[in-house]
Amino acid sequence: TNDTFGPLRDLARPARRRRRGRTLTSVTAGGRWSLVSGLAAKEASPTRQAVARARLLLDRYGIVSRKAVQSEGLSGGFGPIYKVLRELEEQGRSRRGYFVDGLPGAQFAYAGAVDRLRDCRDEAEERDAVVKTDNIVTLSAMDPANPFGALVPWPDVRDSQRAKPRRVAG
């Protein structure tokens, strides 16, 4: 790495506007240089990377299913992540089940996420059918926390004249 932007600026200039008497070598040799390869973190083992990726998905989505992994576009698909999630379940670090109706296949979650889902279900069963303004949460269609359109299908639209919802800005 270099401690000055001078060499970069000179490289960005067209050849005819470079300072006189400077060759390409003299331009790139300016400033003080430091070796930073020792500062870079060593690459983690594939196993550690897979566990970190699975935990990231659990933290991000709360409930990890095949569709959640597909929406991430991870190489290898759901298979490698499933093996890690299954191992986390066997270690007691996550739970496997069918927590969300409409999401096909096995779903994985931390115990706390499952408990929070159950609390919401219990509250919904106790609540009247009337929806209050306090109960409505609005999320942008582009917000990664919004599961509609990516993980679960959009709700049915009664008015056929209106456009079907999409995951686009606006």
Side-chain angles (χ1 to χ4, degrees):
T1 185
N2 197 324
D3 68 345
T4 179
F5 288 109
L8 289 175
R9 287 188 191 112
D10 280 346
L11 286 173
R13 289 188 186 116
R16 67 180 189 279
R17 294 192 60 210
R18 286 199 185 124
R19 297 180 200 162
R20 291 180 189 238
R22 288 198 170 201
T23 64
L24 188 59
T25 305
S26 68
V27 168
T28 57
R32 292 178 294 186
W33 290 87
S34 302
L35 185 63
V36 294
S37 63
L39 299 177
K42 294 187 176 34
E43 189 171 324
S45 70
T47 303
R48 286 181 185 254
Q49 288 178 355
V51 171
R53 189 172 293 127
R55 291 185 137 186
L56 174 78
L57 291 170
L58 286 167
D59 290 341
R60 182 177 294 162
Y61 292 105
I63 305 289
V64 177
S65 67
R66 179 179 299 276
K67 282 195 171 189
V69 175
Q70 287 174 346
S71 71
E72 290 283 325
L74 298 174
S75 62
F78 188 60
I81 296 293
Y82 180 83
K83 290 176 184 175
V84 174
L85 290 169
R86 188 180 63 210
E87 184 65 30
L88 288 175
E89 179 203 12
E90 289 175 5
Q91 295 173 3
R93 296 181 183 181
S94 70
R95 292 186 182 173
R96 177 177 24 184
Y98 298 98
F99 307 115
V100 178
D101 190 28
L103 284 179
Q107 302 160 20
F108 293 85
Y110 287 130
V114 174
D115 293 340
R116 291 184 70 188
L117 277 174
R118 287 182 179 149
D119 288 343
C120 291
R121 180 192 62 201
D122 294 341
E123 290 174 14
E125 290 171 353
E126 294 172 5
R127 216 174 20 231
D128 292 334
V130 177
V131 177
K132 300 176 184 173
T133 308
D134 296 341
N135 298 339
I136 297 174
V137 177
T138 305
L139 292 174
S140 167
M142 298 300 294
D143 190 332
N146 187 350
F148 291 103
L151 301 177
V152 294
W154 288 102
D156 291 332
V157 178
R158 292 182 187 169
D159 186 4
S160 61
Q161 301 298 325
R162 297 186 67 186
K164 187 172 178 143
R166 299 178 299 158
R167 286 186 69 89
V168 296

